[in-house]
Structure formats: C-alpha cells, structure tokens
C-alpha cells in the first residue's frame, strides 16, 4: 500500500489539501509541514489516480453514502442490513467500509478472519454471497483488537486505494459505510467520487436533540459539497418488544430494596392463564427524549426527505452481533418491516 508521488505524503499535516491542490504549500494547514516548500513549488495537474477511480466506478450504477453525525446511532448496522436487503432483491451489491479506525462491517456480516486476495484485476472483495461483496480494512488487520493509529493522509490514501484497486465488477449498488462526523474520510470519498456521479447520502440518527444537532451539520456538509441527501433514517425510534420476549424481575422487600429475583416464567404463566390476549401484544417504550419532534420534524425544517423510523429491536441487535440478515427469518418481526420499507424508498428514489 505504497503512496505514489501524487498522493498525500504520510508525514503531511493532518488537514493537508493535497500536493496537487492550488493551495498546496500555501494554506494555513501547510504551516510547519516538512513538505511545505516542495508542495508550493511542485507543478500542479490532475491526479492520475482519479482517472483510475472513474474507470473502476464506471461499472457501478448507484453509489450511496451512509453517514451519521455522531457515533453509536446504528449507522453500520443500517449499512449492513441495507446491503443484505438489496442483495435479497437480486441486485449486485458491494459494501465498502471506510471507517478506517473503527471497522465493524466484517463483524456485522459474519466475515471476521477473512483475508483479502489480489489478482491481476486488483483486490478481490470478500463475498458473502454471489451478489454481495465486502471490502474493509478489518480484513487487513492481524488481529481484530489491533488499533489503527493513522493520521489523515494515510487514511485518505487507503480510501483512494479501495476505490481504484478493488475489482467489484458489475454492481447495481455500492454502499459506502463512512465513520461519524464530517472529517478527512468524508472529504476524501466525496473528492474521489465526484466525477463518478454519487447518487446521494442516507443519514442515520437517533431521535434525541444531542444526535440531531450533529445530523444538521451532516446535512449542511452534504449541501456544501454537492451531495444529494436521499433521506434521513430515525434509528432506535423507541423500544419495541413482544411481551413474550420480555423478562420480568421482582425486587425483594426490605431495606435497600433487597435482591432482584427473575420471575419471567411465573409472569408468562400468569398471563397465559389469566390474560392470554396480552401475549400477542408488544411493549413500547421511549428510550430517548423526543420532545423536540425527532428526525421527522428536523427534516421538515432542513428541507430534506424523511425515510422512516426503525425501532430499537433486541432481535435486530442480535442479528447484527451474529452477522446475519434480519430479513431471512421471522425473528426481527418489528424492525425488519420498517427497514424494508425504508430500503424500498431508497430504491424508488433512483428509479423514478
């Protein structure tokens, strides 16, 4: 993974504009960089790697970025399940994980421990099915606990290499799972893909204001760099769980509350005998404060589409942990229909 003379040097400052930029060696970000004088006097011109990226992406019909304003909102879970859903509809799908420091996609697709292979056509994605390929730095780490301690230029260099060297073949959809925020990786992926017609970005959030504040920044980022916002997904939109999946506990009487006793079996038996109709219901609880109106209200205010809500479903969390699709069985009875409706909205936005 050696950098060419046209790529950002590994010893460059964190927010290096790039050796080929007109501001190379002249911007505030260049102050104190050991390459400042070289970059300021070097001849400028188009990056030949961008031509290679355009050629690679020519076989990809649709490119979707999955973004979030902050971490912990379920963005990678959504990226994985979006890819599963598209593949289940017989589309050819690629999932590219550009979260260099926190790659979780291999785990969420059950592909941990796989190694990348290289051929005369380039790097081969890891295939979960014939029509679902995956690429992530997670496949390159010697151990899953290995920390990736890289500055911006090196991360940007790997993202460029993913785009120009991975042989995806003919794809209907390339889903790009990005890290939270609006940092180097986001600027790089937009810069590298700008000439290849990005379809847009799906932004994932949770309902509370502390998340929506950052999502507003993400939407502003998309508008500034010219990326269409396909829509916003409100994830973890309240806990939804069937009564039969609930556990029940009883705290013993006494000073300090006493010990907690599991009474799940007793509670289920009691309901079965005395109120069996309750067993067909599901319990609802608002986990996050949504007094501000949630993502739907924010979308109206920001002028972007709202794609829908996905409940906080323990079965979906389990599917992500086990690296499987939530659509293949009937365990995710509450979250899978909501996700599928959102996926259909994304597909429809490209076909209309």
């Amino acid at each position: 993974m050696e950098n060419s003379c046209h790529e950002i040097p590994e010893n460059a400052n964190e927010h290096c504009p790039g050796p080929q930029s007109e501001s190379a060696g002249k911007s505030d970000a260049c102050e104190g960089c050991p390459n400042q004088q070289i970059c300021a006097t070097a001849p400028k011109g188009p990056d030949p790697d961008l031509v290679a990226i355009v050629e690679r992406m020519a076989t990809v019909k649709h490119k979707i970025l999955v973004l979030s304003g902050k971490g912990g909102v379920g963005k990678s879970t959504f990226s994985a399940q979006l890819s599963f859903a598209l593949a289940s509809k017989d589309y050819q799908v690629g999932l590219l994980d550009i979260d260099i420091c926190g790659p979780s996609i291999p785990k969420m697709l059950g592909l941990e421990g796989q190694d990348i292979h290289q051929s005369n056509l380039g790097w081969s994605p890891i295939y979960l099915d014939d029509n679902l390929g995956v690429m992530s730095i997670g496949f390159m780490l010697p151990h899953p606990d290995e920390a990736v301690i890289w500055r911006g230029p090196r991360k940007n260099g790997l993202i460029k290499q993913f785009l120009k060297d991975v042989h995806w073949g003919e794809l209907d959809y390339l889903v790009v799972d990005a890290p939270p925020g609006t940092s180097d990786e986001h600027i790089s992926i937009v810069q590298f893909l700008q000439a290849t017609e990005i379809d847009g970005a799906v932004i994932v959030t949770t309902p509370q204001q502390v998340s929506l504040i950052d999502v507003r920044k993400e939407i502003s980022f998309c508008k500034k760099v010219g990326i269409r916002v396909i829509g916003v997904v409100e994830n973890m939109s309240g806990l939804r769980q069937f009564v039969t999946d609930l556990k029940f506990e009883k705290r013993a009487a006494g000073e300090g509350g006493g010990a907690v006793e599991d009474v799940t079996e007793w509670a289920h038996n009691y309901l079965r005998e005395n109120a069996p109709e309750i067993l067909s219901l599901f319990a609802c609880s608002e986990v996050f404060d949504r007094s501000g109106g949630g993502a739907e209200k924010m979308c109206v205010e920001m002028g972007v589409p709202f794609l829908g809500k996905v409940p906080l479903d323990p079965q979906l969390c389990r599917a992500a942990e086990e690296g499987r699709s939530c659509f293949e069985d009937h365990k995710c009875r509450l979250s899978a229909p909501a996700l599928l409706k959102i996926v259909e909205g994304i597909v429809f936005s490209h076909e209309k």
Side-chain angles (χ1 to χ4, degrees), residues 199-215:
D199 287 78
V202 174
I203 301 176
V204 182
T205 184
T206 47
Q208 78 276 35
Q209 286 297 313
V210 70
S211 179
L212 295 174
I213 288 170
D214 290 334
V215 167

Side-chain angles (χ1 to χ4, degrees), residues 76-77 80-81 104 107-110 314-326:
S76 293
T77 297
Q81 297 302 324
S104 54
K107 169 72 174 174
M108 291 188 173
L109 275 84
Q315 292 294 340
L316 175 59
C317 299
R318 189 168 292 114
E321 286 288 309
E322 295 173 356
R324 58 181 173 83
S325 169
C326 74

Side-chain angles (χ1 to χ4, degrees), residues 49-61 63 118-125 160-171 174 193 196:
D49 285 336
L50 296 183
V51 176
I53 290 172
V54 171
E55 291 175 353
R56 280 289 191 195
M57 293 295 109
T59 60
V60 180
K61 292 180 183 177
K63 306 165 198 73
Q118 192 164 6
S119 69
N120 59 338
L121 295 174
W123 289 349
S124 297
K160 178 185 283 189
Q161 204 157 8
F162 278 155
L163 294 174
K164 72 182 182 70
D165 290 345
V166 176
H167 177 61
W168 296 103
E170 298 281 341
L171 286 184
L174 178 65
L193 288 180
T196 70

Side-chain angles (χ1 to χ4, degrees), residues 35-115:
N35 308 295
Q36 184 174 13
Q37 186 61 34
I38 298 172
C39 289
T41 57
K44 305 296 185 291
D47 185 345
D49 285 336
L50 296 183
V51 176
I53 290 172
V54 171
E55 291 175 353
R56 280 289 191 195
M57 293 295 109
T59 60
V60 180
K61 292 180 183 177
H62 302 293
K63 306 165 198 73
I64 299 173
L65 306 183
V66 181
L67 310 175
S68 67
K70 64 190 287 90
V73 300
K75 171 189 55 59
S76 293
T77 297
F78 180 81
S79 296
Q81 297 302 324
L82 170 61
S83 301
F84 278 129
L86 292 170
S88 72
K89 292 176 177 293
D90 294 326
Y91 291 112
Q92 292 291 326
V93 183
L95 175 54
L96 175 59
D97 181 4
I98 64 166
D99 192 342
I100 306 301
C101 294
S104 54
I105 289 299
K107 169 72 174 174
M108 291 188 173
L109 275 84
L111 295 173
E112 285 183 301
Q114 299 289 325
D115 295 319

Side-chain angles (χ1 to χ4, degrees), residues 294-350:
E296 192 167 8
K297 180 181 177 183
M298 181 212 65
C299 286
V300 173
E301 295 171 351
M302 297 289 288
V304 296
F306 179 66
L307 292 173
K309 302 176 182 180
V310 180
L312 180 56
D313 180 0
Q315 292 294 340
L316 175 59
C317 299
R318 189 168 292 114
E321 286 288 309
E322 295 173 356
R324 58 181 173 83
S325 169
C326 74
F327 306 103
E328 290 185 351
D329 54 36
H330 299 290
K331 294 180 179 179
C332 303
R333 292 179 290 172
L334 298 174
S335 55
L339 278 165
L340 198 57
K341 184 177 180 181
I342 289 169
V343 172
E344 289 170 350
I346 293 171
V347 172
F348 178 73
S349 74
H350 298 131

Side-chain angles (χ1 to χ4, degrees), residues 231-244:
V232 175
V233 175
E234 183 178 282
N235 198 23
M236 307 184 195
S237 183
L239 176 66
R240 300 291 185 271
Q241 195 169 8
F242 280 95
V243 172
T244 51

Side-chain angles (χ1 to χ4, degrees), residues 141-186:
L141 302 178
H143 190 276
D145 295 336
E146 187 81 12
V148 180
I149 309 173
W150 289 4
R151 289 186 181 273
R154 194 173 179 191
K155 291 191 287 185
N156 298 343
L158 181 59
I159 292 170
K160 178 185 283 189
Q161 204 157 8
F162 278 155
L163 294 174
K164 72 182 182 70
D165 290 345
V166 176
H167 177 61
W168 296 103
E170 298 281 341
L171 286 184
D172 294 302
Y173 286 93
L174 178 65
V175 178
V176 181
D177 183 53
T182 55
S183 191
D184 291 301
E185 294 92 331
H186 307 80

Side-chain angles (χ1 to χ4, degrees), residues 196-276:
T196 70
E197 298 184 5
I198 306 173
D199 287 78
V202 174
I203 301 176
V204 182
T205 184
T206 47
Q208 78 276 35
Q209 286 297 313
V210 70
S211 179
L212 295 174
I213 288 170
D214 290 334
V215 167
R216 289 174 180 270
K217 297 172 185 174
E218 199 79 38
I219 293 171
S220 296
F221 167 81
C222 290
K223 291 179 177 179
K224 285 181 179 179
V225 298
I227 300 297
R228 178 173 75 100
V229 177
I230 297 171
V232 175
V233 175
E234 183 178 282
N235 198 23
M236 307 184 195
S237 183
L239 176 66
R240 300 291 185 271
Q241 195 169 8
F242 280 95
V243 172
T244 51
D245 293 331
L246 290 174
K247 289 187 176 182
F248 295 85
E249 294 179 346
K250 181 176 70 174
R251 190 176 296 278
E255 188 176 348
V260 172
E261 179 186 359
D262 187 331
V263 294
T264 302
E265 186 176 355
W266 171 85
H268 286 175
N269 287 336
Y270 184 89
L271 290 173
R272 195 173 295 113
E273 294 172 7
N274 298 282

